[in-house]
Amino acid sequence: MKKTRALIVDDQKISRQLFENFVRSSDKYELIRSIDTAKMVDIYMARYSVDLIIMDIVMGDGSNGLDACEYVKNNYPDVKLIAVTSMAEASFIERSKAIGVESFWYKEASREPLLDIMERTIAGESVYPDSAPVIKIGLTDSSDFSNAEMAVLRELTTGAENTEIAARLQISVNTVKSHIRHMLDKTGFQNRTELAIEARLKGIVVPL
Amino acid sequence: MNTVMSIPALRILFAAAFLSLTWGAVFLLRLRISNTRFGKSRERIKALATFLIFACSYFMLEVMMNINGRRELSTVSSVALFFGSFPLWICTVLLLILVVVFIYLMKDYRQWSNDHISNLSIKESIDLLSAGVAVYTEKGLPVVINPVMDNIGVAAFGENMYGSTGLYEKLLGYDKDVIRAGDEYYTFRKNRFNIDGVECVEFICDNVSDEYKTAGLLKEENERLKRMNEHLKELNSTIDSYVIENEILNAKVMVHDRLGQTLLATQKYLLDGDSVDEERSGELLDMWKENIGFMSNSMDDQKNDELMALLTAAEDVGVGLVFNGKALTGDDFYDCFGTDTYPAHIALTAIHECMTNTLRHAKGDEVYITAERKDGSCSMVITNNGSRVSQVVEKGGLKSLRSLVENSGGRMEILTDEGFMLRINIRTGRE
């Protein structure tokens, strides 16, 4: 039986080892390479024939797994992709679906083992969690924030001022202030810095 | 027939009455004239009216008083004699008429006062304003100054309204929009206009202390928010490290948990004794292999810069990178392009793109880079040992590379006559 050729992309060595173990534990898979940056995916794809990629999204070197997924889908449409992350950032799921990533797996929060996800993905299934993990932030949960509030929060964590946030999101400054005020009310935080730090630490928003 | 002249007591009574009433009428008349618009004739009319009333009252008084009771006609004026010859009843009628006139004038003045604003009330109103108001003629004579402006003058300039033209000159020479008077802030404006042909200058100061203080507080708050945002930007880079470390910790915890499970499984296996089987042994062995695999390798990640990552990938995929005739090293590369410079970034992007295309399209395994730096620019030529390509379509990576090069003021050229050749010229002046 032809083995599924897998490429692992994750900047954390321990995560790569875990994924390597998953792949090696099954006779159905052949590990092609395990690399630590999404920046070199195009080189490995040009060199090797790959059927499945397990792609971490947030890399320590600033490279973006979702950008690499988009490159793969545009240039190698038959290759199956599983995006993995430990961040609760909700927009990752949306963007993954928009790119056409077949499956999505949360490293800590998913109850299904990755091996099951891999098998279902190779079988043609698309496996996505119902929603991002719910993380407690202050007095509320991350699920209490609206999409618009999350968008503002994402920009807020970059240290942008209200006028910059308004320009990036193409909304008014008053709308930005209103969203921030609502989030502060929900979380009970005293100021935007506290809100931004907590959101980043908990991985609720990740500015890519 | 009795005349007023012939009865001394009555004479004095009438004199007093006439005197009081005429003086009262004069006062009211002057007030009434002052508050109406006779313009320049006002003073003349006031003077004429006053003269007439005094004239009448003088003669009446002369008649009535006749203090010495002199009958010498030569000492009494003919007019007085004429009035003095009036019978008592005529004098009484005249007196009554004067009373009526007085009452009329009084009522008229009161009515007029209720229907009009007097100069005094205007002055009182200006004095009660919270704004400072001062009107001067062009020569510096004060027309009206209210206490607020006087206080502003003292607090801001050390000049009050009584100090000659000092305050006027200070106000006239002040050219800012805001005056600070002690702890209060005022807007300042001056206007010029004409009053009855006299050129005047008006100075008005509105109290904006609350707004000014609020603006000051807002400015401070904005500065504070700006500092917070800068702090957040700095924090972003450290938070990334924190998040990554957190991820590593979670993974390590999971590895330790798996080790714990393996130990427990092993303990049970050993304790079960006779009930062991090959399948169970195999599973246990796999678990130990996995755990030993984790522990035998370092869990720390090596951080590579962009060039090292490229060199690692090149070695891994079996592509040789030849730089100026020898294997590409970090030292040679950075000597040519500099460390952490924009030209270095463009060069690395070009090498990366060419390596990918060599593998994917040209099916080669060596990339040749020739680079030279001189006269404020770096030139690069990149070729490969792959098969010749007849046409190169710039899209994706090559398109992005061209944007990078041209946005930095450089030039990029792709030639396919003798195999693939990429030529780039980058200005090294841009860092």
Side-chain angles (χ1 to χ4, degrees), chain A residues 11-14 16-18 21-22 33 36 39-40 42-44 46-48 60 71 75-76 86-87 107-108 156-161 164 191-193 196-197 200-201, chain B residues 225-226 228-229 232-233 235-236 239-240 242-244 247-248 250-252 254-255 290 293-294 297-302 304 309-310 312-313 316-317 352 355-356 359-360:
Chain A
D11 60 326
Q12 300 304 317
K13 189 162 186 176
I14 199 159
R16 286 201 305 279
Q17 280 186 296
L18 274 169
N21 286 346
F22 288 144
R33 278 299 185 271
D36 63 357
K39 284 183 186 175
M40 302 296 152
D42 56 342
I43 293 174
Y44 284 85
R47 173 65 178 86
Y48 300 106
Y71 170 84
N75 291 279
Y76 304 92
S86 58
M87 303 287 175
K107 290 180 186 176
E108 277 101 42
L156 185 67
T157 58
T158 65
E161 295 179 11
E164 286 177 281
N191 53 58
R192 57 200 276 149
T193 304
I197 291 172
R200 282 290 279 123
L201 285 176
Chain B
L225 281 173
K226 203 173 167 183
M228 276 167 67
N229 283 335
L232 257 180
K233 280 178 186 164
L235 214 58
N236 243 332
I239 279 181
D240 282 341
Y242 170 87
V243 170
I244 288 166
E247 244 188 50
I248 294 173
N250 288 335
K252 286 181 180 176
M254 194 181 63
V255 167
E290 186 185 88
F294 280 131
N297 293 313
S298 165
M299 292 197 180
D300 294 328
D301 288 279
Q302 242 184 335
N304 286 330
L310 198 65
T312 305
D316 204 18
V317 300
H352 182 139
M355 198 163 92
T356 306
L359 282 166
R360 193 175 175 195

Side-chain angles (χ1 to χ4, degrees), chain B residues 30-88:
Chain B
R30 280 180 63 86
L31 268 181
R32 188 67 176 84
I33 292 170
S34 294
N35 289 313
T36 55
R37 287 186 175 275
F38 285 108
K40 288 178 184 173
S41 312
R42 186 187 304 138
E43 294 303 318
R44 283 202 291 272
I45 292 171
K46 273 162 68 174
L48 182 63
T50 306
F51 172 75
L52 284 173
I53 289 175
F54 266 109
C56 287
S57 65
Y58 167 75
F59 289 117
M60 295 302 286
L61 188 63
E62 192 184 8
V63 168
M64 301 305 157
M65 287 300 287
N66 198 10
I67 295 167
N68 294 324
R70 291 192 303 271
R71 286 188 178 273
E72 295 82 1
L73 294 176
S74 59
T75 61
V76 181
S77 64
S78 54
V79 176
L81 280 175
F82 171 72
F83 279 113
S85 63
F86 283 1
L88 192 61

Side-chain angles (χ1 to χ4, degrees), chain B residues 39-322:
Chain B
K40 288 178 184 173
S41 312
R42 186 187 304 138
E43 294 303 318
R44 283 202 291 272
I45 292 171
K46 273 162 68 174
L48 182 63
T50 306
F51 172 75
L52 284 173
I53 289 175
F54 266 109
C56 287
S57 65
Y58 167 75
F59 289 117
M60 295 302 286
L61 188 63
E62 192 184 8
V63 168
M64 301 305 157
M65 287 300 287
N66 198 10
I67 295 167
N68 294 324
R70 291 192 303 271
R71 286 188 178 273
E72 295 82 1
L73 294 176
S74 59
T75 61
V76 181
S77 64
S78 54
V79 176
L81 280 175
F82 171 72
F83 279 113
S85 63
F86 283 1
L88 192 61
W89 68 269
I90 291 178
C91 288
T92 307
V93 167
L94 285 175
L95 192 63
L96 285 171
I97 290 172
L98 198 57
V99 168
V100 168
V101 168
F102 180 81
I103 292 171
Y104 169 77
L105 283 175
M106 203 162 69
K107 285 182 82 174
D108 175 70
Y109 181 72
R110 186 176 283 181
Q111 181 68 39
W112 187 91
S113 293
N114 289 339
D115 294 343
H116 291 80
I117 298 174
S118 65
N119 291 349
L120 193 63
S121 57
I122 292 174
K123 177 71 170 72
E124 282 180 356
S125 303
I126 290 177
D127 283 348
L128 291 173
L129 288 173
S130 61
V133 176
V135 180
Y136 286 85
T137 66
E138 268 200 332
K139 291 178 184 175
L141 291 174
V143 176
V144 63
I145 306 175
N146 71 353
V148 173
M149 183 60 92
D150 186 48
N151 292 337
I152 291 171
V154 170
F157 307 115
E159 300 278 357
N160 60 24
M161 65 173 100
Y162 306 109
S164 184
T165 57
L167 180 58
Y168 170 68
E169 283 163 7
K170 285 283 188 331
L171 290 171
L172 196 66
Y174 194 79
D175 56 2
K176 294 180 187 171
D177 294 329
V178 176
I179 284 185
R180 182 179 174 179
D183 290 334
E184 303 289 308
Y185 291 86
Y186 297 84
T187 58
F188 177 75
R189 60 183 188 277
K190 36 186 161 181
N191 304 309
R192 290 178 184 273
F193 52 86
N194 187 289
I195 303 176
D196 292 337
V198 178
E199 289 296 322
C200 294
V201 184
E202 175 191 54
F203 305 99
I204 299 180
C205 295
D206 291 308
N207 195 322
V208 292
S209 300
D210 287 342
E211 291 87 346
Y212 202 83
K213 283 168 190 166
T214 304
L217 289 171
L218 270 174
K219 195 178 169 187
E220 279 176 23
E221 180 67 11
N222 281 342
E223 289 295 318
R224 190 181 71 85
L225 281 173
K226 203 173 167 183
R227 284 195 299 273
M228 276 167 67
N229 283 335
E230 282 165 9
H231 197 62
L232 257 180
K233 280 178 186 164
E234 288 170 17
L235 214 58
N236 243 332
S237 55
T238 55
I239 279 181
D240 282 341
S241 306
Y242 170 87
V243 170
I244 288 166
E245 292 299 320
N246 201 42
E247 244 188 50
I248 294 173
L249 179 65
N250 288 335
K252 286 181 180 176
V253 165
M254 194 181 63
V255 167
H256 281 92
D257 286 346
R258 291 170 83 90
L259 182 59
Q261 287 167 5
T262 306
L263 286 168
L264 286 171
T266 307
Q267 184 192 42
K268 190 172 189 318
Y269 176 85
L270 293 172
L271 288 174
D272 279 350
D274 297 334
S275 63
V276 297
D277 58 49
E278 273 192 37
E279 191 183 345
R280 206 168 148 201
S281 309
E283 280 175 7
L284 198 55
L285 200 60
D286 287 340
M287 285 171 80
W288 275 109
K289 278 181 185 173
E290 186 185 88
N291 283 289
I292 290 167
F294 280 131
M295 288 183 284
S296 62
N297 293 313
S298 165
M299 292 197 180
D300 294 328
D301 288 279
Q302 242 184 335
K303 287 187 173 55
N304 286 330
D305 66 6
E306 201 176 343
L307 176 62
M308 292 312 298
L310 198 65
L311 289 172
T312 305
E315 188 182 340
D316 204 18
V317 300
V319 170
L321 296 175
V322 180

